[in-house]
Amino acid sequence: MALGIGCTARPGNSRNNKTGSWRVFYPVMDTEKCTKCGTCQLICPEGCINQNPDKTYSIDLDFCKGCGMCAEECPDKAKAITMIKEEK
Amino acid sequence: MVDRSIENFECGHRACGGCGASSAVRMILKGYGENTIVVNSTGCLEVFSTPYPETAWKTPWIHSLFENSSAVASGIEASLKKQGRLDTEKILVFGGDGATVDIGTLCISGAFERGHDFTYICYDNEAYMNTGIQRSGATPYDADTTTSPAGVCSTGNNLPKKDYPQILVAHGSPYVATASMAYPADLMKKVEKARNTKGPCYIQVHTPCCTGWGFDGAKTMEIGRMAVECGLWVNYEVIDGELATVKKVKRVPVDDYLKAQKRFRHLFKPVRNDAEIAKIQAIADKNAKKYGIDIE
């Protein structure tokens, strides 16, 4: 059975669905330029940008839909994220 | 203090790339903190976050119908109160603009009249996006939607946007605010304030919708900022019926905001419709005067 008793689902089990396949452009993070302000992590509609123990950020490409909001909103003085077209 | 490390909205949901609502929901859950029970009415958010048999939520979450989310929240609140758990656990209601300003008004009015202790968030994407961009009471003047199509005989939605926050101010709500997902710090602060206010609180959050409004998903935040900068969206707080804070801006003409979206393209193509643009500018001017948003 897909759901538990009372039609409950396990918390956050939408992780089973890898939305990365939707992507046309993928983001590349330049950790040298990154000022670690955390804007991308805060605004990402997916929540697929995670902070590493060394305070840098990495993007989980399993889930990134490639909307480009992070690259657009990365502050002008850093502009650490660039969008590159997927080659398939 | 807002804890930005809280992640109660998981990856893998089916929102469009660049969705304003899912970005706003992540910020709101950070602002509202742990020990939150979420009630969700039907709408884009409910549909994309809980596709059978999965859920993106990591909080207790309930969905019943389009119209009754505030009634369900009232019941949960009454139960928590009886069990003495209301001090530590709080209820957060999410409704889209259709579920809030059109379909759910009756239940919201009842819940705010009774004074239940919960926070109602209306994520306002200005139409029924989930069913295919039909106009709602929150659709702005002259927007093109599938039920108010612009063409030879029409310039789109010919009714003004309903001023819903003021309806709830009239109910005597202790905290009513408007916010925009383009200003995350402001949004999270307001949500936290609502959690700490006893009684029914209401926050209407402007969440640009790239699919329905017709712009590139990367520009979601920028469109949100443009709406605030031209005066068509005003960020304010009303505490106990008194206007407490207003986001002041150096106002720009509405043209750039309208030009950036396909739902207003009929105002510029094939020929510029100055009469209609002047009417929209008048709405922005009226907002500016009413809330005093202009920096002198």
Side-chain angles (χ1 to χ4, degrees), chain B:
Chain B
M1 265 305 281
V2 173
D3 182 0
R4 293 194 179 197
S5 65
I6 294 173
E7 281 298 346
N8 280 334
F9 199 66
E10 192 54 89
C11 310
H13 57 73
R14 270 69 157 179
C16 310
C19 175
S22 69
S23 182
V25 165
R26 284 189 59 237
M27 297 169 196
I28 290 163
L29 289 173
K30 285 173 199 289
Y32 212 65
E34 295 288 4
N35 296 326
T36 300
I37 296 170
V38 175
V39 183
N40 202 178
S41 54
T42 311
C44 240
L45 176 63
E46 176 256 332
V47 170
F48 77 63
S49 66
T50 55
Y52 178 86
E54 294 167 5
T55 178
W57 300 84
K58 293 200 280 192
T59 58
W61 180 92
I62 182 169
H63 162 251
S64 174
L65 297 171
F66 222 132
E67 62 272 28
N68 68 352
S69 53
S70 43
V72 172
S74 304
I76 297 170
E77 190 257 8
S79 169
L80 290 183
K81 204 168 170 183
K82 175 85 180 154
Q83 296 173 58
R85 287 161 59 186
L86 204 54
D87 292 334
T88 51
E89 292 166 57
K90 294 285 178 186
I91 301 149
L92 187 60
V93 188
F94 281 104
D97 56 292
T100 307
V101 311
D102 295 344
I103 303 175
T105 298
L106 180 129
C107 288
I108 295 169
S109 180
F112 274 66
E113 184 193 359
R114 293 188 299 270
H116 292 286
D117 186 7
F118 66 75
T119 302
Y120 193 104
I121 308 271
C122 167
Y123 69 96
D124 184 0
N125 48 25
E126 305 191 325
Y128 291 88
M129 296 310 181
N130 150 45
T131 47
I133 319 160
Q134 287 85 15
R135 81 159 284 281
S136 76
T139 305
Y141 184 72
D142 267 355
D144 174 39
T145 68
T146 50
T147 48
S148 63
V152 183
C153 305
S154 161
T155 52
N157 178 36
N158 58 0
L159 297 171
K161 186 181 173 87
K162 207 188 268 186
D163 192 358
Y164 206 74
Q166 293 300 330
I167 295 176
L168 294 173
V169 169
H171 278 71
S173 164
Y175 186 79
V176 174
T178 58
S180 169
M181 59 79 69
Y183 295 86
D186 175 65
L187 170 60
M188 293 190 291
K189 204 177 72 193
K190 282 174 177 165
V191 172
E192 191 193 21
K193 216 180 237 183
R195 180 177 177 123
N196 295 332
T197 305
K198 213 172 154 49
C201 304
Y202 176 79
I203 303 175
Q204 189 157 334
V205 186
H206 197 229
T207 55
C209 168
C210 47
T211 310
W213 299 9
F215 59 84
D216 179 17
K219 306 273 183 200
T220 304
M221 300 284 277
E222 198 183 325
I223 294 282
R225 272 196 299 273
M226 284 162 102
V228 172
E229 279 162 9
C230 74
L232 285 173
W233 184 266
V234 184
N235 282 347
Y236 62 84
E237 281 179 300
V238 177
I239 300 173
D240 292 324
E242 298 290 329
L243 191 63
T245 62
V246 177
K247 163 86 182 159
K248 296 208 181 236
V249 290
K250 246 191 157 50
R251 212 145 55 84
V252 295
V254 294
D255 296 48
D256 287 344
Y257 175 62
L258 303 180
K259 267 183 206 161
Q261 303 168 55
K262 277 190 193 149
R263 62 175 178 163
F264 292 114
R265 70 181 155 185
H266 56 282
L267 299 177
F268 298 94
K269 283 177 190 169
V271 284
R272 191 184 154 91
N273 189 339
D274 283 313
E276 289 299 316
I277 294 169
K279 282 186 198 170
I280 298 174
Q281 185 63 53
I283 296 170
D285 294 344
K286 200 175 149 197
N287 281 345
K289 199 168 164 231
K290 185 174 177 189
Y291 297 105
I293 58 172
D294 283 327
I295 296 171
E296 299 297 330

